Amino acid sequence: MADAKPVPGLGEVHGARVNETALVAFVVHEARLIDEQRFEEWLDLFTDDGRYWMPLQMGQTDPVLQQSLFYDDKLLLRIRVERLLGARTFSQKPKSRCHHVLQTPVVDETDEAANRYVTYTPFHYIESRLDEQTLYAGWSRHYLTMVDGALRITLKRVDLVNPDSAFGNIQLFM
Amino acid sequence: MPDYRGNPEALSGLVRDSEVHRDVYTDPGVFTLEMERLFANTWVYVGHASQVANLGDYYTTTIGTQPVVMVRDNTGTVRVLHNRCPHKGTKVASELCGNTGRLFRCPYHGWAFRTDGTLHSIPLKEGYTATGIENTEAAQGMAPVRHVREYRQFVFAKLNDGGLDFESYFGDSLSSLDNMVDRSPAGRLEIAGAVLRYMHQCNWKMLVENLTDTCHPMIAHESSAGTATRLWKQQPEGTPKHPAVEIYAPFMSPYSFYESMGIRVWPNGHGHTGVAGSIHSNYSAVPGYFEMMAAAYGEERAKTILDTNRHNTVYFPNMTLKGPIQTLRVFKPIAANKTLVESWTFRLVGAPDQLLERTLMYSRLVNAPTSVVGHDDLEMYERAQESLHSDANQWVNMQRLYDPAERSQETAVTNGTTEWQMRNQFRAWAKFMAPA
């Protein structure tokens, strides 16, 4: 695994306006935190009412009255993260590892007045455990906002290219 | 390993009073016989009528490993056809669902079939003149499954002519299905949300046994349900209970809870957990729902319906439902060591949307490929599938609360931690696996 020491400053935009460079750096940093399994830091990237959503259908608009693979608020994400660290988390004996390859994020929307920024990032994601390595492909959309001088996620929407396929365990985060 | 097809004694020897031989999970020959006999001689769940609401609507699925298509034909009857062109064997309907209009048309040579399966036309038909084609199976069209029964919108089919009729096969177990439907003020369900599809590298029966295995949640699910409960307790006092915690927390109930919730067994391998109550008993009331139910059924009957909180009902061989939260799972056998789990969710017609929201959340948190509860269940099954290859002990034990007297008792309500229902399933398995 790559250097797992904290990278200071990323995700924080001190005094500066949010620009494309900062947004792209944030998205890349977010994926790196997952790959390095720095999940506590990753959770901190979400606003208190932030969500992680993976629809079950292409073009899905409703996460509540339609089914999804994930529609987690912060408590549900925290349950996952703390579970991953637990001593009796049997499906993580041995542990999974994961790996993102991101296409350069594109800034889809910049609205300083509304404090709303949206990026679009095609990705490949590998989750691996024991002798299995599974490739997932999709598109992430980060809905971001500035909180106390730092970018934060209000919604990370992950659309798989094949959300309707049958999957085995998906245990980490894309 | 024995040739079970040619050796009925070896086959019946796989099931003892309180243990089964590992070959029932690992042997491809046994799996083939299951497809030929068990899945052909029993009533297998096919789909829900709301999936084919309009004339020409179809839904493609399998019975055992055989591809079929459920279709509402031109007269409005729900039929189940073998999804195979009688000409060259091509799969005719390829989408999961859709509308075929008045005809199915094979994409290979254009043979067309009415929605009851009968042959409508063959292009360049003169090529068959005086060939005797009319006497072949090919001319019969897409073969219908002859035994199809729609019960309160749930469609079941039996491939073989032999075996039991629908009522004899399911008997009182249909009461769980009734309760799920009765929970709609309109007495009607609709499939809602898309199906969750979860691939398991294990034998299908492990999943069915786990449905009434009440001694595993507090162990296998400690990491998920236990973590959820612990995190919840750390929230500031007065925080409204998170709906997910309401779903997770009961998994951590003590043995005494599961003992007293009870298990009921029925003939032919059916049974359920949660006789006196279950992990679904104490969900928060949804505002306005009881009033809708009382208006539809009267207060007393509404209470009776809603006080029935069965946990998992096994519709042997491979379907289960949870009435109190309106989910249905099908364990589709693919190979001895491969099973597709489908989780379907239902809207109670005429009930508040919050109920559907809870249904979807439950299914997502517990039965999805992304579910932390499902992760540990699957881990257990896959570890078993691997380690059953050990020759040290070739038997799987199902002896908890075994009493020889149960062998002559087809129906019972008993201690909720018994493995009787697993034994019940294997007694039915042995019965339907016996050669004709």
Side-chain angles (χ1 to χ4, degrees), chain A residues 56 64-65 67-70 73 75-76 80 82-83 88-91 129 164 166-170, chain B residues 193 195 197-199 219 222-223 230 242 244 340 353 357 360 363-364 369-370 375-376 378-380 383:
Chain A
L56 187 57
V64 176
L65 296 180
Q67 190 57 287
S68 298
L69 287 159
F70 287 88
D73 60 16
L75 179 74
L76 288 174
R80 290 182 192 274
E82 297 220 359
R83 173 181 172 276
R88 292 177 182 164
T89 304
F90 306 114
S91 75
R129 183 169 176 261
D164 46 357
F167 299 115
N169 282 346
I170 298 175
Chain B
V195 57
R197 305 174 70 234
Y198 193 179
M199 194 61 82
I219 308 292
E222 182 186 331
S223 71
R230 182 169 53 76
H242 192 291
L340 173 63
D353 280 348
E357 188 178 344
L360 294 166
S363 214
R364 184 166 68 242
T370 46
H375 291 164
D376 286 315
L378 177 52
E379 176 72 10
M380 297 308 125
R383 286 193 196 191

Side-chain angles (χ1 to χ4, degrees), chain B residues 365-379:
Chain B
L365 293 180
V366 179
N367 298 131
T370 46
S371 153
V372 289
V373 174
H375 291 164
D376 286 315
D377 280 327
L378 177 52
E379 176 72 10

